[in-house]
Amino acid sequence: MSVITRFAPSPTGYLHIGGLRTALFNYLYAKSNGGKFLLRIEDTDLQRNSQEATDAIIKAFEWTGLSYDGDVVYQSQRFEIYKQYIQQLLDEGKAYYCYMTKEELDALREEQRANKLPPRYDNRYRDFKGTPPDGIDPVVRIKTPLEGVIAFEDGVKGRIEIAAKEVDDFIIARSDGTPTYNFVVAIDDALMGVTDVIRGDDHTTNTPKQIVVYEALGFQIPKFYHVPMILNPEGKKLSKRDGATDVMEYKEMGYLPEALLNFLVRLGWSSGDQEIFSMQEMLALFSPYELNKSASCYNQSKLDWLNNHYIREMDNQKLRMMLEEYGCEVKMEGDKLEVLFEALKERNYTLVAFANGVREVLEAPKSYDAKMQSRLSLEIIENLKKFIGGLTEGLGVSELEEKSKAFMSQYSLKAGEFLQPLRLALLGKGGGIGMAETIFVLGIQECHHRIKMLEKISFAK
Ligand code: GLU
């Protein structure tokens, strides 16, 4: 039987990185087995769901490059289907109308609380044969087994068992006829042919209820894998305070989808000591049976490190195109582009930082490091001009390096008297890419111009 998995987000906001991780696990398992990965939007809660949120999820998905098979399934378009199954269960006596009013239910709960009993529906309409009370729109409840256990073999957590009597005859249709969450999830997974459900372990308690639905309808029960959460470094639930949780925010911050997916696959899964996984490697190595039983910990510096790795690996022409999305157009070609990009790849973790790095080199400084500027003298500026004036166009990076070393030794200059001021003139600050690379990229004329600018600003009468 081929593997069919799905990702089933509820469109209440953006695509959360925890959701993307679940989607990735499902995607990898299906695709590595020649199976299908489906996308279902769980938008039955018309109050909380919006088209905007659905669009945002689909857009984020597109950005990650995880492609789903077939059309997106929208639960909001399947009410007729759910209705038919509710009717079928009513007809077969596996579900029943319950006419209990809210007041009666509250009174029952109150009584149970007073007797220190857990709140539970008392099955009063389960075998009701009488005349239903007037003026009440009933809910539909499904009959859950009265004894025994509801059990399943979780692919991550092992055998999970719950006493059947712990599971109430739960509502499958509200009094307005709309179906409830656990009911529609089970129906859809069955009708979509889903064989394996990998999802967050916040759903573990839903699974026994869904199994009741599968069994009542004679559907094949899929294999479940409940994945522990991603926690923050303090061991608490990951929240906005720990950094971004919205997938598209990672894009805005300049992370690459490859890096984010690589980062997420390692949150809850590993293969030896390997940290870097191409999509091919993930597909070859991933197994949901190797998912960790314990929660994983979000680690920002690991993500930065991975992102830098993928930026370094990227072809420079592709990188140039990607930078355009961050408002950075690089017109440079050939060796200059290569030298600039290779130098920036060393030190920039995100595309946003990379784009800023490009601007820092290509745009003349708009301001200067005040402390460095205060140490300048006219003599220092003269030395800089002399050095640049002695260069010829066409020198390579290592030749420029040699020349600057030779110049410093010829005039007995220390770094603070030559390299630092040169940095200040060309980039306006202490850090940044190497000076030889900067001169190579900018060309002699532009360097000369920048030195004169610094002179003018620092020593204007
Ligand atoms: N819609 C659910 C959620 O967003 C997922 C349901 C499932 O995976 O079974 O958490």
Side-chain angles (χ1 to χ4, degrees):
M1 189 169 64
S2 87
V3 173
I4 301 183
T5 65
R6 50 53 162 193
F7 176 51
S10 307
T12 48
Y14 51 81
L15 178 58
H16 190 280
I17 53 163
L20 178 58
R21 183 186 64 151
T22 310
L24 174 63
F25 291 157
N26 280 290
Y27 174 88
L28 293 174
Y29 190 43
K31 294 292 160 180
S32 59
N33 285 285
K36 287 202 175 104
F37 169 65
L38 311 175
L39 179 61
R40 178 172 78 230
I41 302 291
E42 304 212 312
D43 55 351
T44 50
D45 187 342
L46 304 173
Q47 304 289 314
R48 292 176 67 218
N49 303 152
S50 72
Q51 187 57 41
E52 219 181 340
T54 300
D55 295 344
I57 288 170
I58 292 176
K59 202 166 142 222
F61 234 70
E62 274 167 17
W63 175 69
T64 65
L66 296 185
S67 54
Y68 45 85
D69 293 289
D71 293 331
V72 182
V73 172
Y74 291 91
Q75 285 189 327
S76 59
Q77 295 171 3
R78 294 165 66 83
F79 281 101
E80 276 313 308
I81 300 174
Y82 308 136
K83 227 183 229 172
Q84 283 169 25
Y85 283 104
I86 291 164
Q87 194 55 51
Q88 180 183 329
L89 291 177
L90 284 168
D91 294 345
E92 291 175 353
K94 292 175 180 167
Y96 57 93
Y97 289 113
C98 169
Y99 296 88
M100 211 167 166
T101 61
K102 185 174 175 308
E103 290 69 35
E104 285 172 318
L105 200 57
D106 287 346
L108 176 65
R109 295 270 142 87
E110 201 41 58
E111 192 189 315
Q112 286 165 334
R113 204 169 304 137
N115 293 325
K116 303 218 159 28
L117 293 167
R120 192 133 298 159
Y121 174 64
D122 61 2
N123 289 357
R124 70 178 69 168
Y125 283 98
R126 185 170 164 124
D127 297 307
F128 181 71
K129 297 275 178 329
T131 315
D134 272 345
I136 290 173
D137 290 327
V139 298
V140 178
R141 288 182 184 268
I142 192 166
K143 288 184 178 170
T144 61
L146 295 173
E147 48 203 35
V149 291
I150 302 172
F152 62 100
E153 276 311 315
D154 190 288
V156 177
K157 295 175 185 284
R159 186 172 171 83
I160 294 185
E161 254 187 33
I162 175 163
K165 62 177 184 327
E166 301 283 322
V167 183
D168 273 356
D169 282 359
F170 59 93
I171 297 172
I172 57 171
R174 300 180 189 91
S175 53
D176 63 3
T178 55
T180 55
Y181 176 73
N182 283 309
F183 184 68
V184 299
V185 170
I187 301 279
D188 286 338
D189 281 336
L191 296 185
M192 290 162 77
V194 171
T195 57
D196 297 82
V197 172
I198 306 173
R199 61 184 171 199
D201 67 0
D202 45 335
H203 288 284
T204 315
T205 50
N206 287 327
T207 305
K209 291 185 176 176
Q210 293 173 15
I211 288 175
V212 168
V213 177
Y214 280 100
E215 284 183 336
L217 289 166
F219 288 146
Q220 176 91 25
I221 300 172
K223 175 92 194 168
F224 295 100
Y225 311 77
H226 290 97
V227 187
M229 301 241 203
I230 305 173
L231 300 179
N232 71 9
E234 285 83 52
K236 305 228 167 68
K237 193 176 165 197
L238 192 65
S239 79
K240 276 204 162 270
R241 253 168 295 139
D242 305 305
T245 49
D246 174 358
V247 168
M248 288 316 264
E249 235 177 280
Y250 284 89
K251 179 186 179 203
E252 277 157 36
M253 290 190 293
Y255 290 93
L256 299 170
E258 303 85 301
L260 189 59
L261 293 178
N262 190 155
F263 175 66
L264 291 176
V265 84
R266 286 283 294 103
L267 290 178
W269 175 79
S270 57
S271 177
D273 297 335
Q274 191 168 337
E275 287 294 353
I276 307 233
F277 292 90
S278 65
M279 182 47 80
Q280 279 73 19
E281 286 173 310
M282 287 188 217
L283 286 167
L285 296 167
F286 177 79
S287 160
Y289 292 96
E290 290 166 357
L291 286 166
N292 290 346
K293 285 189 177 53
S294 49
S296 46
C297 181
Y298 183 91
N299 176 346
Q300 184 64 42
S301 49
K302 178 108 153 265
L303 174 60
D304 289 341
W305 175 76
L306 282 167
N307 206 48
N308 179 250
H309 166 81
Y310 285 98
I311 289 179
R312 279 170 193 253
E313 294 268 289
M314 197 183 285
D315 167 75
N316 287 335
Q317 291 301 335
K318 181 170 175 204
L319 185 50
R320 177 179 35 198
M321 265 169 51
M322 294 204 72
L323 290 171
E324 282 175 19
E325 273 202 61
Y326 296 85
C328 176
E329 222 177 297
V330 190
K331 300 238 171 63
M332 204 161 266
E333 283 296 344
D335 286 352
K336 289 195 173 191
L337 181 84
E338 294 297 316
V339 166
L340 175 63
F341 277 20
E342 290 308 316
L344 288 170
K345 279 177 175 180
E346 301 271 326
R347 63 198 70 232
N348 290 293
Y349 292 135
T350 66
L351 290 177
V352 168
F354 198 101
N356 288 336
V358 169
R359 286 187 205 105
E360 253 171 43
V361 178
L362 298 188
E363 292 169 13
K366 294 187 183 67
S367 63
Y368 296 96
D369 180 299
K371 208 163 166 197
M372 289 174 77
Q373 202 180 2
S374 71
R375 295 197 203 109
L376 285 179
S377 66
L378 278 169
E379 191 191 343
I380 287 177
I381 297 280
E382 281 315 310
N383 275 336
L384 298 185
K385 285 201 223 160
K386 198 187 296 170
F387 171 66
I388 294 291
L391 299 176
T392 45
E393 288 293 354
L395 293 173
V397 172
S398 50
E399 289 163 315
L400 287 166
E401 232 148 55
E402 288 305 316
K403 292 258 175 209
S404 87
K405 272 192 205 138
F407 187 85
M408 284 170 73
S409 95
Q410 186 181 351
Y411 294 95
S412 307
L413 299 172
K414 296 197 198 83
E417 297 161 315
F418 176 71
L419 280 177
Q420 291 307 326
L422 187 56
R423 233 169 220 301
L424 184 69
L426 302 186
L427 302 177
K429 58 170 196 161
I433 67 169
M435 275 301 90
E437 281 89 345
T438 309
I439 298 168
F440 181 82
V441 169
L442 292 178
I444 295 169
Q445 224 188 334
E446 175 64 15
C447 292
H448 202 76
H449 170 70
R450 290 192 187 183
I451 292 167
K452 285 208 308 220
M453 236 173 63
L454 176 63
E455 178 182 24
K456 203 167 140 203
I457 288 172
S458 309
F459 299 102
K461 301 243 162 57

